Amino acid sequence: MTTENLVSRTHAEVSVGDELPPLAIPLTRTLIVATALATRDFQDVHHDPRLAADKGSPDIFMNILTSNGLVGRYITDWAGPETELRKVAIRLGAPNYPGDTMTLTGTVTAKTTAEDGTPLVEIAVVGANKLGNHVTGTVTVKLPEGAEA
Amino acid sequence: MTDPISQDKAAFLAVVKKYEGMHDVSGVLALDPVNGPMIRHWAEAMGDTNPVYTDPEAAARTHFGEVVAPAAMLQVWIMRGMQGGAPANSATGELYKHFTDNGFGSVVATNCEQEYVRPLRLGELVQYDQLIETVSEEKTTGLGTGHFITTLTNIYVDGESGRELVGTHRFRILRYTPHKKKAKAAPPAERPLRPRKVVNKDNQAFWDGVAAGKLLFQKCLDCATPRFPFAPGCNKCASLEWDPVESTGKGVVYSHVTMHYPKFPAFDMPYAVGLIELEEGVRMLGNVLGVAHDRVRIGMPVELEFVTHDAELTVPAFRAVGEN
């Protein structure tokens, strides 16, 4: 692992209104099943199309632990390995079905301070697929402080 | 006057509402301590290459100082896996059974709100308490009709001075009855009609011919080239002058397909469609009759037969000659 991989964004470098580069995630059937298993979610709707259909869904769909994980990954991909996630709050809408693509976008919405004085950054995140917004949420992170600009 | 269904619903709601605010379980231990293999598996599936999750040397050079679990794995550590969603003999388990027994057997998660007090380290065994916060009234959603249940789970690690809160996890699920599939819900419908013919200025003469029991094609008055389907001008010389000519209706199968799908309810599936080369030299599409769809062959001789599907729809088809 080279040091470049360890470079992280600092609190001072981030401004309200900053937009994160979009991240497009192809929703393969393999991804949906592999992530369901990796999150220990064995609900049939995440791997068995016929049983998913019995429950009113046209196909298997991504589980919420994965949506949560991908939102977390999106933030740390952008901010770097020093990032500490403090809060992830998500709401699910249009399901992530196999064959679609989810594109995550994010905007820095606030720079705040925790009760203990820790400087925090809030990012609004949306993950959209062709049916609409799969996930909308807010992520709160602590970044290395960095030099004030 | 209250009808029996809304009485039943009110009674059910009263039962499940009692669980609101109920402290469900406490001190339930995770099945596995926070561990490298589960983290690596998770990071691999998610496509997450953050080195602090998997690379001890890289992690040591960050402020974390050591490998930590991805924050978003918080719930993963307390998943019951094949044992199902709620520990046995818990209030949640009991509540879920009420839903299952009353037809709300399906479940989908809609909201997840997690706060992380600090990262989890390898070897830590988490435990959790759970509170049932709210049970909603009956709601109808795109998936079906049911109730939203919100739970709050506090996750701890045993420390020297008692339990240390490491994270909270608020989770909302919908327990629901799926919408009935339309095919099942609708009473057996009368068979729909076949698609209607589209008659316009260009093909009026053809359909007039069908109405008179004649199969017509066009013949160019300038170069004598026959043509079908009906069109204003000659494909060869562009002349707009033409005469209708009646075909004998005798021809051979030039090509054919069998329609299996989509299953149009107006048609008897599967069925054969032939491209018939008539002896006058024009080709025409039509159903191939008198032979099983998988016995239709190129070159097979056929003869015209008008088929009336309903009061308004008679179309030419072609019957195999010499087949039983």
Side-chain angles (χ1 to χ4, degrees):
Chain A
M1 200 57 61
T2 61
T3 36
E4 287 94 307
N5 295 42
L6 296 177
V7 173
S8 292
R9 234 164 260 277
T10 64
H11 189 85
E13 284 169 346
V14 173
S15 306
V16 172
D18 284 358
E19 290 189 5
L20 282 61
L23 173 65
I25 297 174
L27 304 173
T28 62
R29 196 167 286 275
T30 304
L31 177 79
I32 288 165
V33 175
T35 50
L37 299 185
T39 53
R40 291 187 48 72
D41 189 340
F42 304 118
Q43 293 281 343
D44 51 32
V45 291
H46 305 308
H47 62 260
D48 188 324
R50 205 164 59 179
L51 294 178
D54 287 347
K55 295 186 164 91
S57 173
D59 204 335
I60 63 165
F61 55 92
M62 180 176 282
N63 68 332
I64 193 167
L65 285 85
T66 299
S67 310
N68 203 44
L70 291 174
V71 167
R73 172 194 152 191
Y74 178 52
I75 299 304
T76 52
D77 275 6
W78 165 72
E82 298 282 1
T83 313
E84 260 186 65
L85 292 179
R86 288 302 176 88
K87 183 172 180 178
V88 176
I90 60 167
R91 185 163 62 90
L92 296 194
N96 268 346
Y97 294 122
D100 205 341
T101 297
M102 175 173 71
T103 302
L104 288 157
T105 52
T107 309
V108 176
T109 49
K111 291 176 84 172
T112 61
T113 310
E115 281 173 23
D116 65 0
T118 310
L120 300 173
V121 173
E122 273 181 26
I123 304 133
V125 177
V126 176
N129 61 32
K130 70 179 178 197
L131 301 174
N133 287 344
H134 165 68
V135 57
T136 50
T138 309
V139 180
T140 308
V141 294
K142 172 180 164 270
L143 302 180
E145 288 194 31
E148 285 299 330
Chain B
M1 202 172 96
T2 315
D3 68 83
I5 289 175
S6 41
Q7 264 178 1
D8 285 355
K9 283 185 178 180
F12 177 70
L13 186 65
V15 169
V16 296
K17 275 278 184 189
K18 281 185 191 151
Y19 287 83
E20 279 191 348
M22 204 176 272
H23 286 277
D24 182 7
V25 291
S26 60
V28 180
L29 290 175
L31 297 174
D32 294 292
V34 173
N35 66 87
M38 281 173 67
I39 293 174
R40 196 195 56 73
H41 182 192
W42 184 97
E44 184 182 318
M46 294 288 166
D48 195 328
T49 57
N50 189 339
V52 301
Y53 304 146
T54 52
D55 182 340
E57 281 178 33
R61 281 185 276 133
T62 66
H63 82 281
F64 295 107
E66 61 184 303
V67 164
V68 293
M73 275 187 84
L74 184 65
Q75 190 189 357
V76 175
W77 305 115
I78 60 171
M79 290 292 278
R80 309 311 293 179
M82 298 295 281
Q83 295 180 16
N89 305 319
S90 67
T92 323
E94 213 178 284
L95 176 61
Y96 289 173
K97 192 167 180 308
H98 281 300
F99 281 104
T100 309
D101 292 349
N102 284 275
F104 302 108
S106 299
V107 58
V108 66
T110 61
N111 298 68
C112 176
E113 192 181 303
Q114 297 184 333
E115 292 193 55
Y116 315 105
V117 178
R118 67 156 174 86
L120 287 167
R121 296 183 282 265
L122 297 182
E124 291 186 312
L125 183 66
V126 303
Q127 54 175 275
Y128 65 95
D129 299 353
Q130 189 163 288
L131 167 75
I132 300 168
E133 281 195 326
T134 55
V135 179
S136 81
E137 295 183 357
E138 188 176 291
K139 308 271 185 187
T140 296
T141 75
L143 278 170
T145 298
H147 297 256
F148 289 95
I149 302 167
T150 308
T151 53
L152 175 64
T153 308
N154 289 329
I155 294 147
Y156 303 89
V157 170
D158 258 335
E160 284 168 13
S161 51
R163 298 202 303 175
E164 177 194 3
L165 183 73
V166 292
T168 62
H169 168 63
R170 180 175 280 110
F171 204 57
R172 182 168 301 143
I173 59 168
L174 173 69
R175 303 284 307 201
Y176 68 99
T177 312
H179 290 307
K180 289 208 169 54
K181 291 194 185 80
K182 283 182 184 121
K184 284 182 189 165
E190 276 184 46
R191 186 169 217 194
L193 298 176
R194 291 191 172 217
R196 303 293 84 187
K197 62 192 179 196
V198 178
V199 183
N200 58 36
K201 204 170 160 185
D202 293 333
N203 66 17
Q204 179 74 53
F206 171 76
W207 290 108
D208 288 347
V210 171
K214 295 176 180 178
L215 183 63
L216 303 181
F217 60 95
Q218 291 166 291
K219 189 170 188 177
C220 176
L221 286 178
D222 284 303
C223 72
T225 302
R227 67 175 187 262
F228 190 88
F230 273 53
C234 176
N235 299 326
K236 193 173 179 192
C237 73
S239 166
L240 298 176
E241 304 303 317
W242 56 273
D243 260 348
V245 181
E246 183 178 357
S247 167
T248 62
K250 293 186 198 308
V252 296
V253 173
Y254 180 81
S255 183
H256 61 95
V257 294
T258 295
M259 290 294 293
H260 292 276
Y261 192 86
K263 294 190 184 303
F264 300 114
F267 291 75
D268 292 316
M269 310 293 294
Y271 62 90
V273 178
L275 179 61
I276 307 304
E277 185 158 85
L278 295 168
E279 60 183 14
E280 294 88 359
V282 293
R283 292 178 197 151
M284 194 174 291
L285 286 169
N287 292 136
V288 181
L289 311 174
V291 57
H293 66 85
D294 56 355
R295 307 286 295 174
V296 178
R297 294 292 180 267
I298 289 170
M300 185 176 266
V302 293
E303 262 182 7
L304 171 69
E305 179 175 316
F306 283 105
V307 178
T308 298
H309 294 289
D310 56 65
E312 291 164 350
L313 189 67
T314 296
V315 293
F318 298 91
R319 182 169 292 279
V321 179
E323 298 286 323
N324 293 327

